[in-house]
Amino acid sequence: MRRFMLVLGGLVLGLLLVANVASAHIVGFDINDTAVLQSPSQVTVSGHIQCTAGETYTIRVNLAQNDSFGRGVHRGNCSGDVQPWQVQVQLTSGPGFSAGPATACANAGTRQPGTTHRDAVRHCETVQIV
């Protein structure tokens, strides 16, 4: 009976560990509705992410305004709390960014180090470049 209880206890512990890894994910993700024009070739886009503590995240932003397009990437570590992020978007084509409306699309992905677990979300927002 004692051996059975040890095996059962080991199985329960194993299931708890697997459930903990399987529950890792992005809880929340958004883009602020205002972006900051640094120059015609650079805009700062920001927002918030909440993901499971211990994971790493990558946020890729594409920004489009008229005939101008840009991209940027930010990487960080998840704290488990809502945390701010910023991406410096660099102009990749077109005449340049200016004050006014633009479309920002961001892909956020998380990864649990040492596992194959990944999660991803995509969000697009009309932003006002100021």
Side-chain angles (χ1 to χ4, degrees), residues 37 40 43 62-70 91 93-104 127-130:
L37 181 67
V43 174
N62 292 318
L63 185 66
Q65 184 186 49
N66 302 321
D67 293 330
S68 297
F69 301 93
L91 183 70
S93 67
F97 297 112
S98 60
T103 301
V127 298
Q128 188 70 26
I129 298 175
V130 295

Side-chain angles (χ1 to χ4, degrees), residues 36-80:
V36 179
L37 181 67
Q38 305 296 330
S39 72
S41 63
Q42 186 178 35
V43 174
T44 302
V45 177
S46 60
H48 296 88
I49 188 168
Q50 183 177 11
C51 46
T52 304
E55 290 189 337
T56 59
Y57 67 83
T58 301
I59 298 171
R60 299 179 190 283
V61 175
N62 292 318
L63 185 66
Q65 184 186 49
N66 302 321
D67 293 330
S68 297
F69 301 93
R71 293 188 177 137
V73 176
H74 172 75
R75 291 179 175 81
N77 296 311
C78 300
S79 68

Side-chain angles (χ1 to χ4, degrees), residues 85-128:
W85 57 264
Q86 278 192 41
V87 172
Q88 300 304 316
V89 174
Q90 297 293 325
L91 183 70
T92 57
S93 67
F97 297 112
S98 60
T103 301
C105 289
N107 296 305
T110 59
R111 186 174 152 282
Q112 182 72 40
T115 71
T116 59
H117 177 75
R118 296 177 189 273
D119 194 13
V121 297
R122 177 176 170 83
H123 182 67
C124 292
E125 182 81 32
T126 298
V127 298
Q128 188 70 26

Side-chain angles (χ1 to χ4, degrees), residues 13-25:
L13 181 60
L15 287 173
L16 288 173
L17 290 173
V18 169
N20 188 26
V21 170
S23 68
H25 61 283

